Amino acid sequence: MTHDAKRVALVSGGSRGIGRAVVKRLAAEGHDISFCYQSNGEAAISLEKELGELGVQVLARKVDVADADSVRAWVAETQETLGTVDVAVTAAGITRDNPLLMMTDEQWSEVRSVNLDGVYNVCRSVVFEMMKRRSGSLVLISSVAGVYGHATQSNYAATKAGIIGFGKSLAKEIGRYGIRSNVVAPGFIETDMTSVLGDKIRDEMLKSIPLKRFGAAEEVADLVSFLASERAGYITGSVFQIDGGITI
Ligand code: NAP
């Protein structure tokens, strides 16, 4: 830690799944939390209640990460009420799977807007204050699909690969300001996103995973927590796969 004040963590898509586990983990470590969600207010409210018991400050906002103005306003409000953001985690993401010939222009652009523009919007908004403070950690959630590709996910995989290029470029660009930028690429993790997979696909995937199970969101949160912290002070520009070995 480079300053005495409480650390502030901002998490996009923090109300469910991996983002929610990250929020809970960072709050348990004492971070004040600002998180956003898109539409599921109930999940956000239940998380706010859980965090209330930890005695940290919490700001929960309904923000579409694809909308640059809304993200700017959310980050500005976070900075005003909680202070400069020390850690930004971009977990908001969606899938709209289809083989290329069936893919609609909307499916392509919606995934791009949320998954890629959303990451740009968050990082673009938090980085200037981090530069002034000369410290900060960005943890961007990609996917193994962005490293290896995945049939029927050309839209999703393109955004997740884009996040890797974006995160590495930032590491080179803003490392001199004491800001680290790392990417986490999960495999199959038990969340609402993967709960829609049919039993047949699930069984097929399990066959290819050496550890013979899907991962838990909390396991991804452990890795994010490490990367966010000063324990990872000499790590930047790296891509960390957490996938039970599926990509071996
Ligand atoms: P999830 O359970 O579906 O949760 C997605 C979260 O993102 C929710 O909080 C959702 O808010 C929020 N969100 C979605 N669109 C948003 C938008 N436009 N603006 C703001 N927030 C938005 O997903 P997950 O499985 O935890 O995935 C989290 C991240 O990990 C994603 O980037 C995903 O691509 C990546 N990932 C997941 C897996 C996996 O197996 N689960 C694997 C690799 C990578 P609402 O509740 O309001 O919709």
Side-chain angles (χ1 to χ4, degrees), residues 12-20 35-41 43-44 61-67 90-96 113-115 141-145 156 159-160 163 184-194 197 214-215 217 220 242:
S12 74
S15 59
R16 290 190 292 113
I18 292 171
R20 186 182 183 102
F35 74 87
C36 83
Y37 62 99
Q38 186 186 25
S39 57
N40 187 334
R61 288 292 175 265
K62 184 175 185 301
V63 173
D64 180 357
V65 291
D67 178 354
T90 59
I94 58 169
T95 51
R96 298 288 183 266
S113 309
V114 175
N115 293 10
I141 308 296
S142 171
S143 164
V144 292
Y156 181 77
T159 64
K160 295 300 184 180
I163 288 171
V184 169
F188 285 90
I189 309 297
E190 299 280 8
T191 68
D192 294 342
M193 186 179 271
T194 46
L197 297 174
F214 281 18
V220 182
I242 174 162

